[in-house]
């Protein structure tokens, strides 16, 4: 597993920030919206609780959490790419949702131990330079018995489905992403990082290796195109 360069990742996401939401919808055929809702449901988050969404990008997952925790709940969305994060407050305002957004790195979260009931990251863990440190940091700021939630791309254990997923991500995704954003090279990178990052049982092994979780589980989406992982600190 190769560690991505943090500055490269920051510049890459900054370059596609303006078209990122539209490209995500096109690439996933809109399914990413349903998957975010499913992650929130699996987290077990309740009204009035506190949530931290790391690598929040333009804030979509943070906003989904806010809809559930309500006015009495607290949601913070963080990202180390300021260009992506800059788009989030206006999106929250349009939806009438009060979410706090802050520039922060998941590898060094500026929050107290056990501060949040749920900590999450969607399509971001594979792009950090040290996934194990990120998993430990997310567990550190999450209450004991709470939930660390991760949404990430993967691969199917069924050969026929996996062949289709690989073909789609290697041939279709860079073209679609490039068409929408004008930055095909960015989506070539994102496709390659997806293909080489551990998924399913391999990612669960990575989570357990941190020593930060008492329980880990995963949920398969669309035959393995993506996975939802849940860890209990």
């Amino acid at each position: 597993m190769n560690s991505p360069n943090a500055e490269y990742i920051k510049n890459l996401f900054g370059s596609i920030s303006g078209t990122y939401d539209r490209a995500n919808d096109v690439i996933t055929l809109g399914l990413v919206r349903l998957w975010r809702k499913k992650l929130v449901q699996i987290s077990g988050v309740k009204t009035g609780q506190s949530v931290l969404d790391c690598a929040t990008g333009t804030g979509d997952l943070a906003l989904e959490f806010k809809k559930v925790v309500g006015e009495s709940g607290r949601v913070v969305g963080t990202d180390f790419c300021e260009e992506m994060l800059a788009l989030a407050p206006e999106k929250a305002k349009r939806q009438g949702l009060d979410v706090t957004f802050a520039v922060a790195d998941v590898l060094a979260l500026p929050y107290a131990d056990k501060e949040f009931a749920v900590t999450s990251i969607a399509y971001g863990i594979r792009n950090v330079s040290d996934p194990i440190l990120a998993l430990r940091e997310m567990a550190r700021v999450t209450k004991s018995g709470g939930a660390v939630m991760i949404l990430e791309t993967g691969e199917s254990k069924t050969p026929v489905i996996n062949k289709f997923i690989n073909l789609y991500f290697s041939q279709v995704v860079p073209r679609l992403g490039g068409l929408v954003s004008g930055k095909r090279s960015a989506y070539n990178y994102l496709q390659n990082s997806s293909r080489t990052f551990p998924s399913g049982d391999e990612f669960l092994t990575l989570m357990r290796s941190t020593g930060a979780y008492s329980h880990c589980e995963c949920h398969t989406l669309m035959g393995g195109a993506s996975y939802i992982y849940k860890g209990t600190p």
Side-chain angles (χ1 to χ4, degrees):
M1 183 175 62
N2 295 323
S3 297
N5 178 274
E7 199 60 32
Y8 174 79
I9 293 296
K10 187 184 294 186
N11 291 334
L12 181 150
F13 279 102
S15 74
I16 60 175
S17 58
T19 57
Y20 184 75
D21 289 347
R22 187 151 48 96
N24 257 5
D25 274 341
V26 170
I27 288 167
T28 67
L29 309 177
L31 288 171
V32 68
R33 295 171 182 254
L34 299 177
W35 295 344
R36 285 193 290 259
K37 290 179 186 296
K38 189 173 182 67
L39 180 148
V40 172
Q41 179 185 21
I42 292 172
S43 77
V45 71
K46 295 177 174 61
T47 302
Q49 290 187 319
S50 57
V51 178
L52 172 66
D53 184 41
C54 305
T56 197
T58 62
D60 285 319
L61 184 53
L63 297 180
E64 286 299 330
F65 272 112
K66 184 61 179 176
K67 292 171 187 176
V68 176
V69 302
E71 291 185 10
S72 61
R74 171 192 177 213
V75 177
V76 178
T78 64
D79 205 295
F80 80 155
C81 178
E82 294 185 47
E83 291 91 342
M84 290 283 283
L85 197 64
L87 301 171
E90 181 59 33
K91 185 185 290 187
K93 184 179 179 181
R94 287 197 304 269
Q95 296 185 38
L97 297 170
D98 182 16
V99 174
T100 300
F101 293 102
V103 177
D105 192 334
V106 68
L107 298 180
L109 294 168
Y111 302 104
D113 294 358
K114 307 182 188 309
E115 185 169 341
F116 299 93
V118 176
T119 304
S120 62
I121 187 168
Y123 299 116
I125 193 71
R126 78 177 190 273
N127 292 315
V128 301
S129 59
D130 191 340
I132 288 178
L133 177 56
L135 288 166
R136 285 179 177 150
E137 269 292 270
M138 293 173 72
R140 178 186 66 77
V141 300
T142 306
K143 298 178 188 296
S144 298
V148 171
M149 302 299 303
I150 298 155
L151 175 60
E152 193 51 86
T153 54
E155 62 177 29
S156 173
K157 304 307 177 189
T158 305
V160 173
I161 296 176
N162 195 44
K163 184 176 181 180
F164 171 77
I165 291 172
N166 284 338
L167 182 66
Y168 183 78
F169 275 93
S170 64
Q171 300 298 322
V172 180
V173 166
R175 285 182 171 87
L176 288 177
L179 188 66
V180 173
S181 69
K183 302 279 185 178
R184 179 166 175 171
S185 61
Y187 285 90
N188 278 327
Y189 167 80
L190 292 174
Q191 181 276 132
N192 287 328
S193 69
S194 171
R195 184 171 52 83
T196 58
F197 195 72
S199 64
D201 290 339
E202 291 181 1
F203 187 79
L204 289 178
T205 298
L206 191 71
M207 290 184 75
R208 294 182 183 115
S209 74
T210 65
Y213 299 92
S214 61
H215 174 76
C216 300
E217 64 187 55
C218 72
H219 302 259
T220 307
L221 302 171
M222 208 175 81
S226 284
Y227 287 84
I228 292 173
Y229 304 94
K230 181 179 185 178
T232 305

